Amino acid sequence: MKSHLALSLVLLVAPVMGTAMTLEEYLAQVRAKHRGLQSLDASRDAATNRREAGDIGLSPVLTFKATSLDDKKPQNLGAFVVDRNEVMDYSLGLGKTFTTGTTAQVTANTNETKLTGRNLGTTPPQGISQTLGTGSLGLSLSQSLWKGGFGSNVRLRQERELQIERTEKQSYDLQAQQILIQAESAYWDALFQRDELKLRQDSLERARRIESWVRRRVSNGIGDDADSFTAQGLVAGRELQLLIAQDDMVAVERRLRDILELPDSEPLPPLSGTLTGQRRLDQMSQGREGRKIRLDSYLAVLEAKTKAIVADEIEDSYKPDLVLEGAYRTNSAEPTMSEASTKMAENDKPTQSIGLKLVWLLDGDVKNAARRTAKSEALASALKKERQLLESDSAWAELNRRHGELTKKIQAAKIASDVQTKKASAQRDKLNKGRAITSDVITAEQDAAEALSTFIRLQAEQRKLEAQGRLFVTFEE
């Protein structure tokens, strides 16, 4: 019995201790300790990083290459035979693709070639050795004019990845709100069980006083055994109800521990608050005043936007590719690599090129099938979105209707509880004066207890119903 009452005593003395947690403080503890919420926060960060990583193709790329070649394969060049070809080559490049679809590449190259061989035109053949150093600086540009023209493919990809990020984050927010709703439900259940337990304890005490009074009457010869059995039955019933309330309290304690992730060795933080005080549903939802839709319906809205962007991407990707290309490179040639390197920026011997390249995928049936598939999926998502919005509007209206009906039921239950409590008190007074029969008193006691229990249960249901407002968000077209 003592272990069963541990949580109830904590909850009952919480307001007196002054350290009890309000609903806001309790939910703050849930956000701080619940590893499921922490996992969702990490997933949100991952979604942001994943979108940012999508621009990896726009990052500058630095390349450096060093090559050493030693070729001893004989090569016959008419009157000359090359016995050995030694090459040292260094190249450095920096390239970048811009959001406009422009690709730029800057390169620097230096090379030294040493040829060793024989001149067969002399008798005897004379050995020869020749060294040549070259250097160059180059700039190349390419610009897509049709497919992905001027960065349209980059912008579509970025927009799609942004919508995917929003969808993922909204999905994580939906899961987080569901966890918070479960946590808040446990909070209100704890407060309900606190009031229910006190109600059952008070009812048991009154039943025991009635039983004691009836036994005295029976022992004095005023009452009969039937009244005694009736009073004993009332006590037994009240004890059973108290045991049930204690068991429910232990179950609530376990739920709170699981939500707050507290070990059994750590004391459960006391909770404060009452079941009274209604909250407006639109204040529980996310966002400003306006049309309210469920988070899962908002996911359908984001998915429809994503599918529409994908359809545009596919349409763009199957366009012919018309690319304008241009390049300019300086050249220097000197006896050594170092000399060639110092003169590589001189533009007296440049290499220039300009070109236009067309790439056209000829299989029209395949392209049309891919386009139709994307458009059909976008249409399906749009229709699904419209259906979800209709269901969401209906759900919001139903939630408000049920909230209003619960308000009426609570008012009626309050009146019934007050009347039944006064009736039970009057019956006890009559019984003390010997002007009422025991069964009437017991019936009045039972009616009063059940009426009060119904009243606080309806209050708890309304508080938990209000928490469902967390699943709605303001929708702006």
Side-chain angles (χ1 to χ4, degrees):
M1 179 73 70
K2 291 182 179 180
S3 61
H4 288 173
L5 290 175
L7 175 63
S8 62
L9 291 176
V10 171
L11 293 175
L12 288 172
V13 300
V16 180
M17 294 171 60
T19 59
M21 291 192 301
T22 63
L23 174 61
E24 291 74 19
E25 294 169 338
Y26 164 75
L27 292 178
Q29 286 287 327
V30 173
R31 292 186 179 96
K33 293 187 175 183
H34 199 291
R35 275 174 281 194
L37 291 175
Q38 295 172 6
S39 171
L40 293 173
D41 289 338
S43 296
R44 288 190 187 93
D45 293 339
T48 300
N49 294 331
R50 190 159 39 248
R51 175 189 54 83
E52 294 177 353
D55 283 334
I56 190 67
L58 301 179
S59 300
V61 178
L62 178 67
T63 59
F64 173 76
K65 183 179 180 181
T67 304
S68 175
L69 173 68
D70 189 355
D71 187 3
K72 297 180 181 179
K73 178 181 68 177
Q75 300 180 52
N76 192 341
L77 301 178
F80 300 92
V81 174
V82 177
D83 296 319
R84 188 176 186 182
N85 181 14
E86 298 175 84
V87 180
M88 286 297 299
D89 186 88
Y90 299 95
S91 63
L92 179 66
L94 178 63
K96 177 169 173 51
T97 300
F98 298 89
T99 55
T100 58
T102 305
T103 299
Q105 180 80 25
V106 178
T107 58
N109 179 267
T110 182
N111 176 288
E112 184 174 270
T113 302
K114 182 179 180 181
L115 299 176
T116 303
R118 290 163 293 156
N119 184 355
L120 301 181
T122 63
T123 304
Q126 295 180 351
I128 60 172
S129 178
Q130 182 70 40
T131 301
L132 178 66
T134 62
S136 67
L137 289 175
L139 172 64
S140 62
L141 298 171
S142 68
Q143 174 67 58
S144 177
L145 304 177
W146 200 341
K147 175 182 177 181
F150 300 99
S152 62
N153 58 337
V154 175
R155 292 189 293 274
L156 285 172
R157 176 187 59 76
Q158 290 176 335
E159 187 177 356
R160 169 175 53 81
E161 290 173 347
L162 178 61
Q163 290 299 329
I164 292 175
E165 178 194 5
R166 290 174 177 171
T167 303
E168 290 180 346
K169 286 186 173 181
Q170 203 64 59
S171 174
Y172 300 141
D173 186 52
L174 172 59
Q175 297 176 56
Q177 293 302 327
Q178 290 171 336
I179 292 175
L180 291 176
I181 289 173
Q182 294 173 359
E184 185 173 340
S185 178
Y187 176 88
W188 295 121
D189 283 340
L191 295 189
F192 166 72
Q193 288 304 140
R194 179 190 69 183
D195 294 345
E196 178 76 1
L197 186 60
K198 188 176 185 304
L199 168 64
R200 297 308 176 186
Q201 289 171 334
D202 293 343
S203 297
L204 178 58
E205 291 300 322
R206 288 194 298 270
R208 285 173 175 168
R209 287 196 295 270
I210 292 173
E211 180 191 23
S212 177
W213 187 87
V214 170
R215 284 188 177 183
R216 287 198 304 270
R217 286 174 58 88
V218 172
S219 63
N220 294 334
I222 301 175
D224 54 33
D225 291 338
D227 291 337
S228 178
F229 292 142
T230 302
Q232 291 176 27
L234 177 63
V235 171
R238 291 290 186 261
E239 288 178 341
L240 176 59
Q241 290 175 339
L242 179 60
L243 289 173
I244 294 174
Q246 290 170 347
D247 181 63
D248 291 340
M249 182 67 81
V250 173
V252 170
E253 178 187 26
R254 174 50 55 193
R255 285 176 59 196
L256 290 174
R257 286 190 178 278
D258 290 343
I259 290 171
L260 293 173
E261 299 192 7
L262 294 176
D264 293 338
S265 58
E266 186 174 342
L268 189 69
L271 306 179
S272 69
T274 63
L275 295 171
T276 59
Q278 296 183 15
R279 299 172 293 176
R280 290 172 50 190
L281 290 174
D282 56 352
Q283 292 178 336
M284 297 297 298
S285 65
Q286 304 177 55
R288 299 172 294 177
E289 296 290 334
R291 182 183 182 183
K292 302 294 183 180
I293 65 172
R294 286 187 318 212
L295 288 175
D296 59 336
S297 299
Y298 190 47
L299 288 176
V301 172
L302 296 177
E303 180 185 359
K305 291 181 179 180
T306 303
K307 292 291 186 180
I309 295 172
V310 170
D312 292 338
E313 274 191 294
I314 291 178
E315 180 70 28
D316 185 76
S317 66
Y318 284 111
K319 291 179 180 178
D321 194 6
L322 183 63
V323 182
L324 177 64
E325 299 175 332
Y328 180 88
R329 187 180 68 203
T330 64
N331 300 286
S332 65
E334 300 295 334
T336 64
M337 180 189 298
S338 59
E339 291 178 288
S341 299
T342 59
K343 296 181 180 182
M344 67 167 54
E346 296 181 359
N347 59 0
D348 56 333
K349 296 184 286 289
T351 300
Q352 305 175 59
S353 69
I354 188 169
L356 192 63
K357 180 175 68 175
L358 175 65
V359 180
W360 196 317
L361 182 62
L362 297 179
D363 197 336
D365 292 339
V366 174
K367 292 189 295 184
N368 292 333
R371 293 190 183 105
R372 288 194 298 268
T373 299
K375 290 180 179 179
S376 297
E377 290 179 349
L379 176 61
S381 294
L383 295 174
K384 177 183 176 182
K385 176 198 72 174
E386 295 300 327
R387 178 62 190 177
Q388 288 276 20
L389 290 177
L390 288 175
E391 294 179 356
S392 178
D393 290 339
S394 178
W396 178 249
E398 177 63 13
L399 191 65
N400 280 272
R401 186 196 69 80
R402 289 177 58 200
H403 188 266
E405 290 299 319
L406 274 174
T407 299
K408 297 177 184 178
K409 291 178 182 179
I410 289 171
Q411 293 172 350
K414 179 66 169 62
I415 295 173
S417 177
D418 291 342
V419 171
Q420 292 295 343
T421 299
K422 293 177 181 178
K423 178 181 177 181
S425 178
Q427 287 290 350
R428 288 195 298 272
D429 290 339
K430 289 176 64 177
L431 184 63
N432 290 333
K433 297 174 182 178
R435 295 164 50 191
I437 61 176
T438 306
S439 60
D440 289 343
V441 177
I442 292 174
T443 300
E445 282 286 336
Q446 292 173 333
D447 291 343
E450 294 308 315
L452 182 56
S453 179
T454 299
F455 172 61
I456 62 176
R457 180 177 287 106
L458 288 173
Q459 285 183 312
E461 288 181 7
Q462 190 176 51
R463 299 294 82 75
K464 290 192 287 186
L465 182 70
E466 290 163 351
Q468 296 294 321
R470 297 180 184 275
L471 293 177
F472 289 82
V473 64
T474 300
F475 178 58
E476 299 178 359
E477 295 284 355

